[in-house]
Amino acid sequence: MIEDKNQQRTQLSDLGEFGLIDHLTKNFKIKQSSTVKGIGDDAAVLDLKNKKIVVTTDLLVEGVHFDLSYVPLKHLGYKAVVVNLSDVYAMNAKATQITVSIAVSNRFPLEALEDLYAGIETAASIYNIDVIGGDTTSSTTGLLISVTAIGEVEDNGEVYRSGAKPNDLLVVTGDVGAAYMGLQVLEREKEVYKVNPNSQPDLEPYSYIIERQLKPEARKDIIKLLRDLEVKPTSMIDISDGLSSEIIHLCKQSEVGCDLYEAKIPLDPQVISTCEEFNIDSTTVALSGGEDYELLFTISQDDFSKIKANPNLTIIGHIKDTKEGMHLVTRAETRVPIKAQGWRNFND
Ligand code: ADP
Ligand code: MG
């Protein structure tokens, strides 16, 4: 288990609200030319010229969205930023700024918030975005983090969930199901730790899937790749809840159906081996797992040659007429309707 190695515990009350804000935000540097004024006034000021802007927010609540017994605060800060940027990229936009709001109980020392902000700063630096504000308040119990992300997109560059057309190809980036299996391993180790706090788990065989759970990445690279390939998806969504639920969102909002091929779903070898170990069906995990933060999109058949050789992109199906419904075509070539919770029950 990950323990708090930070021995020093500075009470938040020693700093006061403004001292705390100053302390946590003093290292943030402005990188984007569109940020006219960042932290420090009543509101930030942006100049996005004639670009359209996209705005998205997520709220993360301790005990609901994260468990601090195995999520290090630095990773939590990083993930809180990344999940929002993923939503910006899913609009085919460039992420430029975020705001970060926290509610924190006095159970947390300053050093814990320093770790959280170190993760936020790392993400801001890797994704080249500015932290331009936020709010800080107290909470009676746990920790809450809300991040709002802002991005810009050329006129007509934005991609909605609603543009898929019959015969379009259904494409997914990277691989899916890993974050869910990483969580299964972490939860198992937490139970082992409760019984025997001296146990030293060997997590090496699970390194990829644990990293996918604790330190997910948003596919900024794909937005650039699509631009370079001159491909504009007809529809797009990021995979936060699991492939099947995102496919349903795309199809419903686009008023189309689809065929998804089980054999085409990209899985990492660690997902396959860990599914065998846990006796869970890997297709169910891929369909229902979630938190992969990959992108799912549709493209016109005319763009097939532009994407076909790319190792980051896998064609997993195609769009059909709405009256044909949404189906998983299994390896045995049977057609099973796609349901939000996957086509097999987790408890099977
Ligand atoms: P106000 O009283 O107007 O809400 P605050 O004192 O809360 O102002 O905030 C002062 C400045 O610090 C503002 O620019 C605000 O956006 C920023 N800020 C406050 N809390 C945070 C935080 N947790 N992370 C980043 N910026 C913050
Ligand atoms: Mg405030």
Side-chain angles (χ1 to χ4, degrees), residues 26-327:
K26 63 176 187 286
N27 293 329
F28 291 130
K29 303 213 167 39
I30 299 299
K31 302 178 274 286
Q32 294 284 342
S33 58
S34 54
T35 308
V36 178
K37 175 74 190 174
I39 290 169
D41 214 301
D42 296 312
V45 180
L46 306 181
D47 182 355
L48 292 156
K49 305 274 190 283
N50 53 358
K51 300 259 179 65
K52 275 190 195 155
I53 77 165
V54 300
V55 181
T56 175
T57 299
D58 266 306
L59 174 62
L60 300 177
V61 177
E62 184 180 354
V64 179
H65 302 102
F66 57 89
D67 180 340
L68 289 177
S69 58
Y70 53 73
V71 178
L73 279 158
K74 189 170 176 188
H75 287 71
L76 179 65
Y78 191 87
K79 185 168 177 174
V81 175
V82 162
V83 302
N84 274 274
L85 301 183
S86 180
D87 282 322
V88 173
Y89 301 135
M91 298 302 291
N92 201 34
K94 172 187 158 198
T96 46
Q97 288 90 10
I98 58 167
T99 63
V100 179
S101 297
I102 55 172
V104 55
S105 75
N106 54 18
R107 164 184 137 224
F108 293 90
L110 174 66
E111 288 73 17
L113 294 187
E114 284 175 347
D115 284 351
L116 181 76
Y117 268 73
I120 292 170
E121 205 182 326
T122 304
S125 146
I126 288 176
Y127 288 91
N128 196 34
I129 47 154
D130 295 337
V131 182
I132 56 160
D135 203 18
T136 307
T137 184
S138 55
S139 137
T140 47
T141 51
L143 176 67
L144 280 86
I145 311 173
S146 177
V147 175
T148 296
I150 295 164
E152 55 182 53
V153 63
E154 305 286 337
D155 211 11
N156 287 323
E158 76 270 27
V159 173
Y160 296 99
R161 295 176 176 183
S162 54
K165 296 275 177 297
N167 298 322
D168 282 356
L169 302 173
L170 184 64
V171 183
V172 70
T173 63
D175 54 71
V176 290
Y180 178 84
M181 288 317 293
L183 182 63
Q184 300 314 300
V185 170
L186 288 169
E187 286 189 337
R188 180 178 70 183
E189 294 313 321
K190 181 184 168 184
E191 293 309 310
V192 172
Y193 179 81
K194 273 190 202 157
V195 179
N196 178 9
N198 296 320
S199 66
Q200 288 288 329
D202 176 16
L203 297 178
E204 178 54 33
Y206 312 106
S207 54
Y208 176 69
I209 59 176
I210 290 176
E211 174 143 348
R212 292 280 282 172
Q213 170 60 223
L214 292 182
K215 193 170 171 288
E217 302 292 351
R219 299 307 305 254
K220 177 184 183 181
D221 58 325
I222 299 294
I223 302 313
K224 180 175 184 305
L225 174 71
L226 291 172
R227 200 180 334 113
D228 292 348
L229 294 174
E230 297 181 2
V231 174
K232 187 187 173 200
T234 51
S235 69
M236 184 150 61
I237 189 168
D238 73 320
I239 303 179
S240 51
D241 293 337
L243 192 55
S244 63
S245 124
E246 314 305 359
I247 287 177
I248 293 170
H249 284 310
L250 276 194
C251 286
K252 286 206 167 145
Q253 297 205 26
S254 297
E255 297 179 42
V256 293
C258 77
D259 272 357
L260 165 68
Y261 290 89
E262 180 180 26
K264 303 276 189 202
I265 299 173
L267 300 174
D268 185 84
Q270 274 189 16
V271 170
I272 297 169
S273 59
T274 314
C275 282
E276 280 169 9
E277 188 187 334
F278 279 72
N279 200 16
I280 310 179
D281 178 67
S282 59
T283 301
T284 308
V285 166
L287 291 177
S288 305
E291 294 202 287
D292 294 309
Y293 301 104
E294 295 294 343
L295 294 169
L296 174 75
F297 57 89
T298 54
I299 59 165
S300 156
Q301 295 249 3
D302 301 340
D303 287 332
F304 169 67
S305 61
K306 296 183 191 166
I307 70 139
K308 69 173 184 220
N310 199 292
N312 289 298
L313 308 175
T314 309
I315 299 169
I316 53 172
H318 56 264
I319 299 300
K320 301 182 94 173
D321 207 272
T322 185
K323 65 175 187 295
E324 312 236 28
M326 294 172 267
H327 292 95

